[in-house]
Amino acid sequence: MQGFATQQLVGREADLQAVLTDLRSGELCGALLVAEAGMGKSALANAVVRELERELPVFRIHASSALTGIPFGALAPLLPVLSADETDSPLAVMRALLGRVRPAGGQDASPAPLLVVDDAHALDEASADLLSQLMASGRVRMLLLTRSITDIPAGIPAQVWSGAISRHQLQPLTETQVQELCTKVLGGPVLSTTSAELASRSGGNPMFVLALVAEARKSGALTERHGVWLMENNADPPEGRLADLLKAHLSGLSSTEREAMEIIALAEPLPVAVAFKLGLHRSVDALTAANLVSVEDEGNRLLRPRHPLYGQLVRHMVPAARSARLRQRVQEVMPDDMESMDGLLRSVGWSLDCGAAVPEAQLLRAAYMANNFFDSDFALRAAGEVKDPALLPAARIQKARAHYNRANFNAAWELVSGTVETAADLTTAKLGTLLRVQLLQRFTGEVDGLKEACAAWEAAIRRIETAAESSGTLDEEQRTDLDSSWRGASLLEALIEVSAGNHRGMEAPVRDLLAQARQAGDAEAVMVSLAILGEIHSCSGRAESAVTLTREALGIVAHSEHRFLTYYQFVLHRHLSALLWAGYWDEVLSTVHKDLLAVSRSSLRVGGTVDMCLAVMELRRGNMEAALPKLMAAIEGMRTHDPDGNLPVALTIAAQLAAGAGDLDRADELLADCDRVPPRGTLSTRFIARGNRLAAGYARTGDPKVLAALRDVGDQAEEHGLPTAEFELRCLSMRAGDPTVMNRLLKLSEDIQGPRGRAVNVFARAVLDQDVSALVRFASEPADADAGALGPLALQEALRIAKTAGDRAQLQRVQRMIGKSAAEPGRSPAAPALTRREKDVAGLVARGYRNAEIAGQLFLSVRTVEGHIYRIFEKLGISRREELTAELMGE
């Protein structure tokens, strides 16, 4: 792994160009970089120096707090030995400095030298004043690096305010930039949600990101599986290099500021009003100015450590006795109604750390919230403290949920078994049922088992209702809860039917349940109904209307104050699927990188779903090279968390891409992996997985029997009334070169909403009409990304049709287009690409080698070589070996 000093600049390209432009400008004296420590000021300055040192002299000045009280102390390395009288004379010092940086006297036409000043906030006043005068005179240009502009001695700030010096504030790295940095550091693909977790914990500070990566690798929290890096568990408190960096930032705090930092970290989030009651207002101002604490302005104003790392470190460093004393102070002034939901977890955790008694109902609530936040360790801790026999079944469910979130599925199954049948309250019965269903989907996915789980839930609701009626305790509130539970059971029955492929039959019942839920104000049932309806619409080819439904469902999750995070992945998967089919690429990225990963702490669990979505998006755009790394990352994420059964789909698509790139060993490994995974997911997902498995096999062997089997799977999807799955399967057949599916694809595409359906419709019509011009136009002028992805196939069809018709003019036109686009850098997807292995074979054919000789050189069978040559000729529209030119291959 690369060290901090040698790491390539990431995410600062725009800043670099802006600073270079300003320093080369004749209208400015220099540029100022402002950012907290670790944000990359020095790395950016080094990049600037590398660009400009060929154009002008560059000198480094390193200011230091140790030299602040020494006049001209920062400039000493650039000054000759001066007498005492000269040292006291600013004019003499200026002449001596100019003599060093401009030996010719500074009057010639040579460019003004660049002075790079590190830690400008630590400049002594004499140095700052002298440098300010030199800049104003135009004799030097300056690049200043500082944590705070207000701490630089007067003179330089005045030139910033006047506009003589440009100011550049470095922003934290985005999640995408953090992923790029992690990928470079680790030397391989990183699960998107792992880099998002690192971005969240570090606050986007590059130095913290690098230290976190190093620490997480050392602790085993960050591991490599099959070439993909992913976070497998929550990271421990900062240690080693990371802890040293954080402690350095805290080292300058006064005793009162340190105490305020401890209280804010221990009580996180701490209401501002409580901090003021404790007399911390001055310390809070100082901590905020030092970028150690942030203030949330939504609702109650809350104080938190600026980065989660600060909170972790400070809590780890405070001794237990001191922590107990601070807790007592906070408890005396903390109103009960000011505690936030995540504040409850910190409060209970703080109490447990101090050995203080916590009411068991509060422990149970904290365990429930911790599971919603996917903090499994804390959920197990809080639930384990519950001793009341009446609360033990509910505590058992929370333990089971925690084990499920940690991928300890057998332990979760043992804990959840029998809980629904003995549950004394509706919440325990519901949570037990949902967990049982998730586990059944993981283990078998059989419909009968799911129906039994639903029946057990209904029996529990009936038993609890009867008990309440018999005891006379059935009040209006419990009746509302019972009605909600019955709706939930009905929705689970509907979901089971939809998963089994009964979309048409369940749409009306689910719409009725949605209407009932809206009327009753049952937000949970509304959310689930919308998600199921969205799935029905997506599977029926109505992706654009599905997006409207799932978008509303996701909004309920996001704005429910964490109540419904249990459903997060359930709703997320359906929303992303709808977005992909609808072709709403911008919203896909917004959903993945902004809205959702900020809402939930479940990012490590949904990593496979997110990267699968990003991979499919790249595939739809025709960007195969970018898709494969994302698919490999998705596969590793879904090996542990795959409730929707998409792992077989990801494995088989990746196998197709690997085979297409000529990496047959990897393709074989992926297919072997797929064959070891039992079928899971909905009927539609299973059909798509089977089709992709066959398509991967065909890409591997070219066996026509496999192509016929793929056509049969499409026929079966048609019989089951699954238009979206059938459309996907027919497209696979079409890409594999099966001409018999075109009529059916044309009809299907008319009812498939979104750009992909429209693109396939145009393509299929041109093929059926044998319209070479339309196919060439389709390939060269794609209306959108989905049309562009079909460009290579359009040219292959155009070649085939022109060749069959004997139209040499058309044939040569298409071949020229292929050769031209293949030879261009960043080649357009409009050219029918040869795989890596096909290129190897084609190169040897072009050099005059016979089939047997090619087989010997490439360690292939002669039959395999013949198959490759057949596909090469088909793709390039030729029929003789002599026609295989370097130009046609794009070389």
Side-chain angles (χ1 to χ4, degrees):
M1 189 176 78
Q2 299 180 53
F4 299 152
T6 60
Q7 179 57 41
Q8 298 181 42
L9 201 65
V10 171
R12 302 296 185 213
E13 294 80 6
D15 297 297
L16 174 61
Q17 293 306 315
V19 171
L20 288 171
T21 298
D22 291 345
L23 291 177
R24 286 167 171 151
S25 168
E27 300 176 359
L28 296 171
C29 301
L32 179 72
L33 287 178
V34 185
E36 65 182 65
M39 290 293 287
K41 299 187 297 294
S42 296
L44 182 57
N46 291 338
V48 169
V49 169
R50 285 194 295 271
E51 287 287 328
L52 294 182
E53 62 187 355
R54 297 186 296 269
E55 305 173 20
L56 44 79
V58 178
F59 299 89
R60 301 297 289 252
I61 297 172
H62 300 278
S64 167
S65 57
L67 300 174
T68 302
I70 303 175
F72 306 113
L75 304 179
L78 295 179
L79 297 174
V81 177
L82 301 175
S83 67
D85 291 341
E86 289 174 320
T87 303
D88 290 336
S89 169
L91 182 58
V93 174
M94 179 182 289
R95 287 173 178 167
L97 181 62
L98 282 174
R100 172 65 187 280
V101 301
R102 300 199 70 163
Q107 302 301 318
D108 58 9
S110 61
L114 174 68
L115 305 185
V116 180
V117 184
D118 289 304
D119 294 331
H121 51 273
L123 281 171
D124 59 276
E125 291 189 9
S127 294
D129 185 55
L130 177 56
L131 292 174
S132 177
Q133 292 180 52
L134 285 174
M135 279 192 294
S137 70
R139 296 183 180 184
V140 300
R141 295 181 186 276
M142 204 164 297
L143 174 61
L144 301 112
L145 283 58
T146 183
R147 297 180 188 178
S148 169
I149 188 172
T150 57
D151 292 335
I152 303 177
I156 293 176
Q159 294 199 48
V160 176
W161 308 138
S162 69
I165 301 176
S166 63
R167 179 182 178 184
H168 304 267
Q169 184 86 37
L170 295 188
Q171 299 301 318
L173 298 181
T174 65
E175 287 171 6
T176 301
Q177 291 165 345
V178 168
Q179 183 174 41
E180 181 184 353
L181 177 58
C182 292
T183 300
K184 287 185 175 181
V185 169
L186 295 168
V190 181
L191 197 67
S192 292
T193 47
T194 289
S195 57
E197 178 74 7
L198 292 168
S200 174
R201 293 191 68 216
S202 67
N205 184 304
M207 183 169 64
F208 288 172
V209 172
L210 294 172
L212 265 174
V213 168
E215 193 65 33
R217 287 187 67 185
K218 182 179 177 182
S219 68
L222 181 65
T223 59
E224 183 182 19
R225 281 201 329 227
H226 299 94
V228 175
W229 290 90
L230 66 162
M231 198 85 76
E232 300 209 50
N233 49 57
N234 295 325
D236 296 326
E239 296 179 353
R241 163 86 172 161
L242 178 58
D244 292 342
L245 290 169
L246 296 169
K247 289 175 183 177
H249 286 200
L250 300 172
S251 61
L253 299 180
S254 66
S255 58
T256 55
E257 291 166 355
R258 179 175 290 276
E259 181 175 275
M261 187 72 188
E262 290 172 346
I263 290 174
I264 292 169
L266 287 163
E268 179 187 357
L270 181 73
V272 171
V274 172
F276 286 0
K277 287 181 182 179
L278 293 169
L280 304 179
H281 48 284
R282 290 184 179 176
S283 295
V284 168
D285 289 342
L287 293 171
T288 304
N291 288 320
L292 295 173
V293 166
S294 61
V295 182
E296 293 181 356
D297 291 325
E298 296 182 7
N300 291 328
R301 300 185 71 209
L302 301 172
L303 295 168
R304 297 181 187 272
R306 174 78 181 278
H307 302 314
L309 291 173
Y310 287 130
Q312 275 189 305
L313 179 69
V314 171
R315 289 192 291 271
H316 185 62
M317 291 172 58
V318 178
R322 178 172 175 79
S323 178
R325 289 195 299 271
L326 294 175
R327 177 182 175 276
Q328 183 62 37
R329 283 183 58 192
V330 172
Q331 290 295 105
E332 289 174 357
V333 297
M334 176 77 83
D336 293 337
D337 60 350
M338 293 191 71
E339 190 175 71
S340 64
M341 287 194 176
D342 53 344
L344 166 69
L345 300 182
R346 180 95 303 277
S347 175
V348 171
W350 195 5
S351 299
L352 292 176
D353 289 341
C354 295
V358 181
E360 295 206 347
Q362 192 175 42
L363 284 170
L364 191 58
R365 182 166 177 250
Y368 171 79
M369 286 306 305
N371 275 321
N372 280 2
F373 283 134
F374 300 92
D375 187 347
S376 303
D377 293 341
F378 186 79
L380 288 170
R381 182 185 183 190
E385 295 290 327
V386 174
K387 308 301 180 187
D388 184 347
L391 299 178
L392 284 177
R396 187 179 174 91
I397 287 293
Q398 297 308 325
K399 290 179 183 178
R401 291 180 67 201
H403 280 295
Y404 178 83
N405 289 337
R406 293 171 74 174
N408 297 333
F409 302 117
N410 290 328
W413 180 260
E414 289 180 12
L415 285 164
V416 79
S417 296
T419 53
V420 176
E421 289 78 3
T422 59
D425 65 277
L426 295 170
T427 299
T428 299
K430 177 183 72 175
L431 292 176
T433 300
L434 295 180
L435 183 55
R436 184 175 172 185
V437 166
Q438 287 175 307
L439 288 165
L440 284 168
Q441 288 176 326
R442 171 79 191 181
F443 292 141
T444 66
E446 297 299 328
V447 172
D448 289 345
L450 299 176
K451 288 183 176 180
E452 289 175 7
C454 188
W457 186 14
E458 292 174 338
I461 298 171
R462 193 175 299 108
R463 174 169 43 77
I464 294 169
E465 183 176 21
T466 301
E469 289 173 344
S470 300
S471 63
T473 58
L474 183 57
D475 57 17
E476 185 176 346
E477 181 179 354
Q478 190 170 18
R479 169 50 63 190
T480 299
D481 291 342
L482 282 164
D483 290 343
S484 179
S485 292
W486 283 116
R487 271 190 294 274
S490 297
L491 285 168
L492 179 56
E493 289 178 342
L495 180 62
I496 293 170
E497 288 293 321
V498 169
S499 296
N502 185 10
H503 302 114
R504 295 173 183 170
M506 296 314 302
E507 183 167 357
V510 175
R511 284 202 177 278
D512 290 342
L513 287 167
L514 174 61
Q516 295 171 25
R518 289 194 192 280
Q519 186 174 5
D522 186 347
E524 184 175 5
V526 170
M527 172 194 61
V528 175
S529 300
L530 289 167
I532 296 174
L533 279 174
E535 181 174 354
I536 291 172
H537 279 232
S538 288
C539 291
S540 304
R542 295 169 287 167
E544 291 171 351
S545 58
V547 167
T548 302
L549 296 162
T550 57
R551 187 186 289 137
E552 183 183 351
L554 204 55
I556 295 173
V557 176
H559 300 99
S560 64
E561 296 184 344
H562 313 297
R563 287 172 56 206
F564 301 139
L565 285 182
T566 302
Y567 298 98
Y568 172 62
Q569 189 165 1
F570 173 80
V571 178
L572 170 65
H573 169 71
R574 283 150 183 81
H575 184 54
L576 291 178
S577 295
L579 289 173
L580 287 171
W581 275 106
Y584 295 170
W585 308 121
D586 290 342
E587 190 171 350
V588 168
L589 295 174
S590 173
T591 298
V592 167
H593 292 300
K594 296 178 183 177
D595 302 334
L596 297 176
L597 295 181
V599 167
S600 169
R601 300 179 190 181
S602 67
S603 60
L604 301 181
R605 290 185 67 249
V606 302
T609 297
V610 168
D611 273 11
M612 176 75 171
C613 165
L614 295 174
V616 171
M617 186 173 72
E618 296 295 350
L619 285 172
R620 297 276 170 83
R621 289 170 163 175
N623 192 352
M624 308 304 174
E625 290 185 4
L628 186 55
K630 287 292 183 188
L631 271 175
M632 299 307 295
I635 287 166
E636 295 312 312
M638 288 190 288
R639 288 190 192 277
T640 51
H641 294 290
D642 180 31
D644 297 295
N646 283 316
L647 179 56
V649 178
L651 286 165
T652 50
I653 295 176
Q656 290 175 66
L657 293 179
D663 191 346
L664 302 184
D665 290 340
R666 175 185 275 191
D668 289 342
E669 290 174 6
L670 290 164
L671 291 177
D673 264 0
C674 177
D675 293 340
R676 287 190 289 267
V677 176
R680 291 205 299 267
T682 66
L683 182 63
S684 182
T685 299
R686 294 188 187 200
F687 269 123
I688 291 172
R690 285 172 56 194
N692 277 287
R693 174 64 180 86
L694 289 165
Y698 183 73
R700 179 71 178 83
T701 66
D703 187 345
K705 293 180 180 178
V706 178
L707 200 59
L710 177 57
R711 191 185 312 123
D712 290 342
V713 176
D715 293 342
Q716 293 169 31
E718 181 181 359
E719 292 171 6
H720 281 82
L722 301 172
T724 300
E726 185 195 351
F727 178 78
E728 185 73 26
L729 294 165
R730 302 300 189 192
C731 285
L732 288 172
S733 293
M734 172 188 70
R735 287 187 174 280
D738 185 351
T740 66
V741 299
M742 283 302 175
N743 281 304
R744 180 60 185 162
L745 255 182
L746 181 64
K747 180 175 175 56
L748 272 173
S749 62
E750 292 172 353
D751 298 322
I752 299 293
Q753 292 180 356
R756 192 160 181 238
R758 294 191 291 271
V760 170
N761 184 267
V762 173
F763 172 79
R765 190 174 298 281
V767 172
L768 291 170
D769 291 344
Q770 300 288 285
D771 191 336
V772 173
S773 296
L775 287 166
V776 170
R777 188 165 54 251
F778 180 91
S780 60
E781 302 172 5
D784 48 46
D786 291 274
L790 284 171
L793 197 58
L795 284 185
Q796 287 183 47
E797 287 297 318
L799 281 167
R800 181 186 62 79
I801 294 167
K803 183 178 177 183
T804 301
D807 190 334
R808 291 194 60 81
Q810 287 277 38
L811 184 61
Q812 290 174 359
R813 174 191 173 196
V814 178
Q815 288 178 332
R816 282 195 302 271
M817 183 177 176
I818 293 171
K820 180 181 177 181
S821 61
E824 291 175 353
R827 184 173 54 85
S828 161
L834 299 181
T835 68
R836 187 182 309 163
R837 180 61 80 189
E838 287 169 351
K839 287 180 180 178
D840 293 339
V841 172
L844 293 172
V845 170
R847 288 160 58 188
Y849 284 81
R850 293 175 299 176
N851 291 359
E853 294 172 327
I854 295 171
Q857 286 218 20
L858 300 179
F859 303 100
L860 301 173
S861 69
V862 174
R863 183 178 178 184
T864 300
V865 170
E866 291 171 350
H868 281 310
I869 293 174
Y870 172 78
R871 285 190 289 275
I872 291 166
F873 284 12
E874 279 294 304
K875 286 184 178 182
L876 301 181
I878 59 178
S879 57
R880 294 182 297 115
R881 300 167 86 95
E882 294 77 12
E883 297 177 70
L884 189 57
T885 63
E887 181 184 5
L888 191 58
M889 291 187 290
E891 296 179 357

